[in-house]
C-alpha cells in the first residue's frame, strides 16, 4: 500500500508544500482504507489456521504508510539540501530498531506471527519520522541554518498558508510534478509489477510466492544497500551540475566534463560489482540459501532463482546509474515523452510476466524483469549517447571493464563452480568452509586485478567514497 501512495506524495509535495500539508495525510488515510478493504475482502486471504493475524498485518501496514507520509516533506527537504548524514543516521536507527524488535519478539513470542512484523514496521516508520521531525525542530532557527541561508526559519512555516497576493499553485511546477508522478507510477509498475501479478492473478501458490520473496529479498540486498544510495546521491549531484532541458553546448564545459567523468566512473563501478555478483553468485547461491533457510530453500528451486537473480542485479545496477543521469538532465517535454515509453513498457511487462510465469514458474518473473530492465537501459544509453555525441566525452566507455578483470572473473567463475561441485553443500561444514575459502581467494585476486588495471576507478572511489575531507558543495 505504501508503494502505491508514496510516489504520488513524493512529487506532489514539490508542487506546493503548504497545500500538501492539508491533503497529504487525509489522502493517505483514504488510500489505506481503500487498499486495506481490497486486500481483506476482494483478494485471496490465507487460511487463518495457517497464517493468523493477516488482517492485523494489513491494518498495521496501512497505519505505517500514513505515519511515513507525515514526515515526507521533511525527507524531501533533507534530500534537496544534501543532508546525507541525517538520512544515514535516521534510516540506520530505524532499521536497527526494527530488526532488534523483530528478533526479540520472534525469540520470546514466536506464536504472534505476523503481529511481530507488523509492530516492527510501525516502529520503523514512527522512529524514522521522529528522527526527521526532531532534527528540523532543532535545526530551524539555529546559527547553522542561518549560515547556510536555509529558506525556512521555524516549524510553523511547514503549516499551510495562503496569501491573496500570490497564486495558490505554481502551475509550471504543478505540470512538471504531474509529469514526474505519471513517470513514477509507471516506474512502480515496472519495478514491482510481478508482485501485483502474483497478488491479483494467483499464478503462484503461497509457498512458491514465499520462496520467490526470500530469493528476491536476498538478491536485492546489494541493490538496496549499495546501488540505491549511489543512485540517490549522484542524482542530486547531476541535478546540481547539469541544467535541465539544455543541450551540451549551452552549458559550462567544465561542468559537462565533470559530469561525464563521474558518470563513466559510476558505470564502471556498478558494472564491476554486478559482474562480480554474477561470477560468484552461481557457485554460492545454494550455499547462501542453505545457510539462510536450510534444505527447505536450498533443495528446491531457490538456488536456480537466485542464480538468475544475479543477472538481474547487474541490470539493476546499470539501469540505476543511467536513469539517475537521464532524469536529472531531461526537460519536461522529454519526461512527458518518456512517460509514454514507460506506459508501453508497463503493459508489455505485465503481460510478459503473466505468460512467462505460466510457462516457467517463478523464473519467469525474473526473466521478465531482465527483459524490462534491458529495454529501459537501452533507452537511457541512447539518451546519454545522443546527449554527448557532439562532445569529445564518452562516458559510456565505463560499461567496458578492462580485459584483465574480465579474464580474472571468468577464471574465478570456473574455479568456484568446480569447487561447488566438489565441496558443497552436503559434505559437512569443513567442506563448506573450504568452498568459502576458495571463493575468498578468487575474490581477492579479482580485487587485486581491479586495483592494478582500473587506476581511474580506484582514484574515483578514493576521492568520492573513502576521502575524509569534506567535499565542496556543487
Amino acid at each position: 500500500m505504501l508503494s502505491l501512495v508514496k510516489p504520488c506524495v513524493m512529487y506532489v509535495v514539490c508542487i506546493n508544500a503548504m497545500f500538501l500539508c492539508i491533503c497529504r495525510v487525509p489522502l493517505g488515510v483514504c488510500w489505506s482504507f481503500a487498499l486495506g478493504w481490497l486486500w481483506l475482502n476482494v483478494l485471496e486471504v490465507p487460511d487463518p489456521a495457517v497464517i493468523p493475524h493477516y488482517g492485523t498485518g494489513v491494518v498495521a501496514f496501512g497505519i505505517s504508510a500514513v505515519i511515513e507520509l507525515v514526515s515526507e516533506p521533511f525527507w524531501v527537504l533533507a534530500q534537496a539540501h544534501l543532508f546525507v548524514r541525517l538520512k544515514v543516521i535516521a534510516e540506520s536507527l530505524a532499521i536497527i530498531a526494527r530488526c532488534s524488535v523483530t528478533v526479540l519478539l520472534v525469540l520470546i513470542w514466536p506464536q504472534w506471527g505476523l503481529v511481530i512484523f507488523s509492530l516492527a514496521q510501525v516502529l520503523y516508520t514512527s522512529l524514522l519520522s521522529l528522527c526527521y521531525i526532531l532534527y528540523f525542530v532543532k535545526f530551524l532557527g539555529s546559527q547553522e541554518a542561518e549560515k547556510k541561508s536555509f529558506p525556512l526559519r521555524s516549524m510553523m512555516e511547514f503549516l499551510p498558508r495562503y496569501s491573496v497576493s500570490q497564486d495558490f499553485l505554481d502551475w509550471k511546477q504543478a505540470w512538471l510534478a504531474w509529469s514526474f508522478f505519471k513517470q513514477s507510477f509507471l516506474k512502480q509498475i515496472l519495478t514491482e509489477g510481478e508482485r501485483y501479478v502474483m497478488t491479483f492473478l494467483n499464478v503462484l501458490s503461497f509457498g512458491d510466492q514465499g520462496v520467490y520473496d526470500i530469493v528476491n529479498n536476498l538478491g536485492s540486498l546489494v541493490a538496496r544497500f549499495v546501488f540505491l544510495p549511489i543512485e540517490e546521491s549522484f542524482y542530486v549531484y547531476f541535478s546540481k551540475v547539469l541544467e535541465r532541458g539544455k543541450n551540451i553546448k549551452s552549458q559550462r564545459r567544465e561542468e559537462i566534463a565533470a559530469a561525464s567523468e563521474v558518470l563513466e566512473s559510476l558505470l564502471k563501478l556498478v558494472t564491476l560489482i554486478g559482474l562480480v555478483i554474477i561470477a560468484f553468485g552461481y557457485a554460492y547461491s545454494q550455499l547462501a540459501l542453505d545457510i539462510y533457510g536450510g534444505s527447505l530453500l536450498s533443495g528446491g528451486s531457490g538456488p536456480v532463482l537466485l542464480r538468475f537473480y544475479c543477472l538481474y542485479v547487474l541490470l539493476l545496477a546499470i539501469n540505476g546509474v543511467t536513469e539517475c543521469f537521464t532524469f536529472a538532465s531531461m526537460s519536461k517535454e522529454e519526461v512527458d515523452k518518456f512517460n509514454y515509453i514507460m506506459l508501453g513498457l508497463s503493459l508489455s511487462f505485465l503481460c510478459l510476466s503473466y505468460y512467462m510465469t505460466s510457462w516457467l514458474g517463478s523464473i519467469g518473473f525474473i526473466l521478465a524483469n531482465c527483459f524490462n530492465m534491458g529495454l529501459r537501459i537501452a533507452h537511457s544509453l541512447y539518451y546519454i549517447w545522443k546527449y554527448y555525441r557532439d562532445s569529445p566525452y564518452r562516458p559510456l566507455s565505463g560499461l567496458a571493464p578492462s580485459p584483465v578483470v574480465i579474464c580474472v572473473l571468468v577464471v574465478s567463475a570456473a574455479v568456484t563452480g568446480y569447487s561447488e561441485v566438489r565441496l558443497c553443500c552436503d559434505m559437512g561444514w569443513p567442506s563448506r568452509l573450504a568452498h568459502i575459502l576458495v571463493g575468498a581467494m578468487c575474490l581477492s585476486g579479482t580485487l587485486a586485478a581491479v586495483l592494478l588495471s582500473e587506476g581511474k576507478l580506484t582514484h574515483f572511489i578514493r576521492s568520492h567514497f573513502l576521502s575524509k575531507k569534506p567535499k565542496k558543495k556543487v
Side-chain angles (χ1 to χ4, degrees):
M1 288 179 285
L2 176 60
S3 60
L4 291 175
V5 180
K6 189 171 182 178
C8 175
V9 180
M10 279 292 296
Y11 294 106
V12 179
V13 112
C14 299
I15 303 176
N16 191 312
M18 310 310 169
F19 174 71
L20 258 292
C21 285
I22 300 175
C23 66
R24 180 182 66 254
V25 175
L27 281 175
V29 172
C30 293
W31 271 107
S32 296
F33 272 112
L35 295 173
W37 180 86
L38 181 69
W39 250 252
L40 292 175
N41 296 279
V42 177
L43 301 180
E44 181 182 2
V45 177
D47 185 359
V50 180
I51 305 178
H53 314 300
Y54 182 78
T56 304
V58 172
V59 173
F61 273 83
I63 293 173
S64 70
V66 175
I67 293 173
E68 190 160 349
L69 286 174
V70 173
S71 66
E72 203 72 35
F74 303 99
W75 183 89
V76 173
L77 200 60
Q79 285 288 100
H81 290 271
L82 305 179
F83 291 170
V84 178
R85 181 177 296 179
L86 168 62
K87 178 183 176 183
V88 171
I89 293 176
E91 293 190 359
S92 299
L93 289 176
I95 291 173
I96 291 172
R98 179 175 63 181
C99 294
S100 301
V101 169
T102 301
V103 172
L104 187 64
L105 292 180
V106 166
L107 292 176
I108 299 177
W109 295 292
Q111 69 274 11
W112 286 13
L114 285 178
V115 174
I116 296 174
F117 299 96
S118 303
L119 291 175
Q121 178 65 22
V122 173
L123 174 65
Y124 168 80
T125 53
S126 301
L127 186 56
L128 186 66
S129 301
L130 186 64
C131 286
Y132 278 103
I133 293 172
L134 290 179
Y135 178 86
F136 280 103
V137 167
K138 182 180 179 181
F139 177 76
L140 295 179
S142 65
Q143 293 182 353
E144 183 182 359
E146 293 179 2
K147 188 184 300 183
K148 294 182 177 180
S149 300
F150 201 73
L152 302 179
R153 295 184 177 276
S154 69
M155 294 294 289
M156 296 299 294
E157 295 187 40
F158 281 98
L159 298 177
R161 292 180 301 168
Y162 179 68
S163 174
V164 180
S165 61
Q166 66 181 23
D167 294 333
F168 187 65
L169 279 179
D170 185 333
W171 288 104
K172 183 178 179 180
Q173 292 185 25
W175 283 114
L176 179 61
W178 173 245
S179 298
F180 274 115
F181 165 63
K182 291 185 292 184
Q183 174 213 41
S184 296
F185 183 80
L186 295 172
K187 190 174 180 180
Q188 174 69 19
I189 298 296
L190 290 172
T191 305
E192 302 286 346
E194 76 274 7
R195 298 184 183 276
Y196 298 109
V197 173
M198 278 192 293
T199 301
F200 290 98
L201 301 180
N202 296 324
V203 292
L204 295 177
S205 65
F206 280 114
D208 290 336
Q209 289 184 35
V211 173
Y212 178 84
D213 281 338
I214 290 173
V215 170
N216 183 62
N217 291 334
L218 284 177
S220 61
L221 285 176
V222 177
R224 290 200 300 267
F225 292 109
V226 179
F227 298 144
L228 184 59
I230 290 176
E231 178 183 347
E232 291 180 345
S233 300
F234 283 94
Y235 172 79
V236 175
Y237 170 80
F238 289 131
S239 300
K240 297 286 186 180
V241 171
L242 303 174
E243 295 185 52
R244 183 180 295 278
K246 290 189 177 182
N247 60 40
I248 201 169
K249 295 180 180 179
S250 305
Q251 304 188 53
R252 296 173 58 186
R253 183 181 180 87
E254 57 269 23
E255 292 180 345
I256 293 297
S260 174
E261 183 178 352
V262 169
L263 178 58
E264 179 183 350
S265 298
L266 282 178
L267 288 174
K268 182 69 66 69
L269 175 63
V270 298
T271 300
L272 285 174
I273 294 175
L275 290 175
V276 168
I277 291 173
I278 290 177
F280 290 88
Y282 182 88
Y284 289 90
S285 293
Q286 184 177 358
L287 178 60
L289 291 175
D290 192 66
I291 294 174
Y292 182 79
S295 58
L296 182 64
L297 290 179
S298 63
S301 61
V304 178
L305 285 174
L306 191 54
R307 286 164 183 159
F308 275 95
Y309 204 94
C310 292
L311 172 62
Y312 180 54
V313 169
L314 171 62
L315 297 177
L316 270 177
I318 297 174
N319 179 72
V321 172
T322 54
E323 283 195 350
C324 96
F325 177 89
T326 301
F327 296 151
S329 57
M330 274 183 171
S331 64
K332 175 188 176 298
E333 292 73 20
E334 289 171 322
V335 172
D336 286 334
K337 183 179 179 181
F338 185 66
N339 286 337
Y340 291 106
I341 298 176
M342 294 279 277
L343 177 60
L345 289 176
S346 300
L347 295 176
S348 62
F349 170 64
L350 292 176
C351 295
L352 190 63
S353 296
Y354 176 75
Y355 287 109
M356 292 196 72
T357 306
S358 302
W359 178 33
L360 297 172
S362 302
I363 297 176
F365 277 131
I366 300 177
L367 293 179
N369 273 311
C370 290
F371 178 77
N372 154 56
M373 204 60 64
L375 292 179
R376 289 169 62 178
I377 291 172
H379 174 269
S380 297
L381 293 182
Y382 176 72
Y383 176 87
I384 295 171
W385 171 82
K386 189 170 65 173
Y387 190 85
Y388 278 102
R389 66 181 173 184
D390 295 328
S391 74
Y393 309 112
R394 298 293 179 265
L396 295 183
S397 61
L399 291 171
S402 68
V404 174
V405 175
I406 295 296
C407 291
V408 173
L409 285 172
V410 171
V411 172
S412 297
V415 171
T416 54
Y418 179 77
S419 172
E420 182 189 30
V421 174
R422 302 292 297 179
L423 300 174
C424 190
C425 288
D426 53 356
M427 301 179 185
W429 271 105
S431 297
R432 294 182 181 183
L433 293 175
H435 181 46
I436 294 173
L437 180 61
V438 171
M441 294 173 61
C442 291
L443 182 60
S444 300
T446 302
L447 294 177
V450 171
L451 291 174
L452 294 175
S453 62
E454 300 286 359
K456 189 175 181 180
L457 174 62
T458 304
H459 175 73
F460 173 79
I461 294 174
R462 286 174 178 171
S463 60
H464 285 78
F465 297 103
L466 303 180
S467 176
K468 295 182 180 180
K469 296 180 180 180
K471 301 185 177 54
K472 294 181 180 180
K473 190 173 180 179
V474 180

